[in-house]
Amino acid sequence: MTSWTEEIKREFRVANVVTRLIMVNAVVFVLTLLLQIVLNFAYVNRMDAQMAFVDIISWIAAPYDLGELAYKPWTVVTHLFLHYDFWHLLFNMIFLYFFGRILLDVIGNKRIVGLYMYGGIASFGLTVLTSYMFPHVVDGSRLVGASGSLFAFVITAMVMAPNYSVNLVLIGPVKVKYLALLTIVLSLMSMARMDNMGGNVAHAGGALFGLIFSLQLKKGRDLTTGFNQWWEAIENFFSGKRRTRMKVSRGHVKPKPVSDEDYNLMKKRRQQEMDAILDKISRSGYESLSREEKDKLFRYSQET
């Protein structure tokens, strides 16, 4: 009989990268809940339990203070998966699900984690910079949550596929550009009221990275390439994958070497086809693509 842990592992292996990110965020949230429960039993005084919880979490949440950050550098990454509040987690995961699935179609599976990481790190960088330049504006002393990464997702989806439609319950099909604009306006309204300024500055940082990333990607430059290669090597190491040697069979014709000129010509032609597909998505939405165009978009996004 398969244990529930084996079942979770199997689901994790077969899930796409967006679902995996959601699962990791959910697991971290459950672990923090269990930690709080354990501390509540361990300490007689509730305040002592809360202080112990904050002390432990400080090794995961990203501090604005550069002195503290110097000996907790991993928090630049770990804070992206940490949520204190259930509703904070729920709304972030809904956004991750919607915009992540769109980006799976548009930019491919390989770039999702890189965009999540770089968007979140950029959001933290802008928050720290703002906390030093305008200490009266940024509240709190640490950053947690995936919001900054998700704003990178939102802006990337808006730039790459503004007319991509998603079906919302009780509303029906809505284009990505309108959802993205609503998200930006709500964040600006919150910023104007000086609510959650640390979080809203982080949103701006993630959005800025998403804008730069998507504009560069439209020009054929992928800012996440370095991370993607590193991440693929890590995945292959843990999955036990090794490079396979090419089998040579007698009687088969050896492939003709491709000259640099032919290779560049094929690369240019493929980029032109990719640009034409993305332009069509921008004009008429993802659903306007033919089956062949969707297959090409998926294949190119996985290869490049």
Side-chain angles (χ1 to χ4, degrees):
M1 183 177 179
T2 306
S3 67
W4 64 273
T5 54
E6 289 299 321
E7 185 70 18
I8 292 175
K9 287 179 182 178
R10 191 188 67 79
E11 291 295 331
F12 189 80
R13 281 196 297 269
V14 301
N16 64 44
V17 68
V18 172
T19 305
R20 288 182 183 182
L21 285 172
I22 292 173
M23 292 173 76
V24 171
N25 276 279
V27 167
V28 172
F29 179 72
V30 170
L31 290 176
T32 59
L33 290 181
L34 293 175
L35 174 63
Q36 283 182 296
I37 292 171
V38 170
L39 292 174
N40 286 338
F41 277 92
Y43 287 86
V44 175
N45 188 304
R46 188 173 178 182
M47 184 62 71
D48 291 339
Q50 186 62 29
M51 289 179 65
F53 175 74
V54 172
D55 187 49
I56 294 173
I57 289 298
S58 72
W59 293 90
I60 306 173
Y64 299 155
D65 181 75
L66 292 178
E68 185 179 354
L69 182 64
Y71 64 89
K72 297 176 181 174
W74 57 85
T75 57
V76 173
V77 173
T78 55
H79 84 277
L80 300 175
F81 302 93
L82 179 63
H83 296 80
Y84 293 139
D85 180 73
F86 172 74
W87 296 109
H88 186 201
L89 172 74
L90 179 63
F91 283 116
N92 276 353
M93 294 306 102
I94 290 173
F95 266 72
L96 177 55
Y97 176 78
F98 272 109
F99 287 96
R101 289 181 66 85
I102 294 168
L103 292 181
L104 280 175
D105 287 334
V106 177
I107 69 172
N109 191 62
K110 291 181 179 178
R111 298 188 179 97
I112 296 293
V113 178
L115 181 60
Y116 185 93
M117 291 295 181
Y118 285 0
I121 293 171
S123 70
F124 174 64
L126 184 63
T127 308
V128 171
L129 180 65
T130 306
S131 72
Y132 276 89
M133 294 180 66
F134 308 100
H136 61 288
V137 171
V138 177
D139 49 359
S141 59
R142 301 178 191 282
L143 190 64
V144 298
S147 306
S149 302
L150 299 182
F151 266 74
F153 277 41
V154 170
I155 299 301
T156 300
M158 185 179 72
V159 173
M160 299 296 292
N163 291 314
Y164 193 114
S165 292
V166 292
N167 285 308
L168 300 182
V169 179
L170 302 179
I171 296 177
V174 179
K175 291 182 178 178
V176 163
K177 59 186 176 186
Y178 299 129
L179 280 177
L181 287 174
L182 177 62
T183 305
I184 294 169
V185 169
L186 289 176
S187 185
L188 290 176
M189 288 172 61
S190 178
M191 191 177 283
R193 294 194 304 269
M194 297 290 283
D195 290 340
N196 183 27
M197 283 303 291
N200 281 311
V201 173
H203 297 167
L208 181 61
F209 179 80
L211 180 63
I212 296 171
F213 167 79
S214 51
L215 292 178
Q216 291 298 307
L217 192 60
K218 280 198 159 198
K219 295 178 182 176
R221 289 191 287 271
D222 181 5
L223 298 182
T224 63
T225 297
F227 177 87
N228 298 335
Q229 292 172 345
W230 175 81
W231 184 251
E232 186 176 11
I234 295 290
E235 281 189 323
N236 289 341
F237 176 80
F238 282 104
S239 63
K241 289 183 180 178
R242 296 289 185 272
R243 288 186 177 181
T244 56
R245 294 177 181 275
M246 182 180 293
K247 294 182 179 179
V248 179
S249 302
R250 290 184 178 180
H252 286 195
V253 178
K254 188 177 180 180
K256 184 180 177 181
V258 179
S259 67
D260 290 345
E261 185 179 354
D262 289 341
Y263 173 78
N264 290 331
L265 186 63
M266 286 191 296
K267 185 178 178 182
K268 182 180 179 181
R269 190 175 301 157
R270 190 171 60 178
Q271 186 61 49
Q272 288 173 339
E273 287 183 330
M274 186 76 167
D275 291 343
I277 292 172
L278 291 175
D279 286 342
K280 188 173 181 180
I281 294 175
S282 298
R283 289 195 310 273
S284 311
Y286 178 78
E287 295 307 321
S288 67
L289 298 181
S290 65
R291 186 177 185 82
E292 182 185 2
E293 288 170 329
K294 288 179 180 177
D295 290 341
K296 278 186 179 178
L297 176 63
F298 177 76
R299 190 170 65 252
Y300 290 166
S301 63
Q302 301 301 315
E303 292 174 352
T304 55

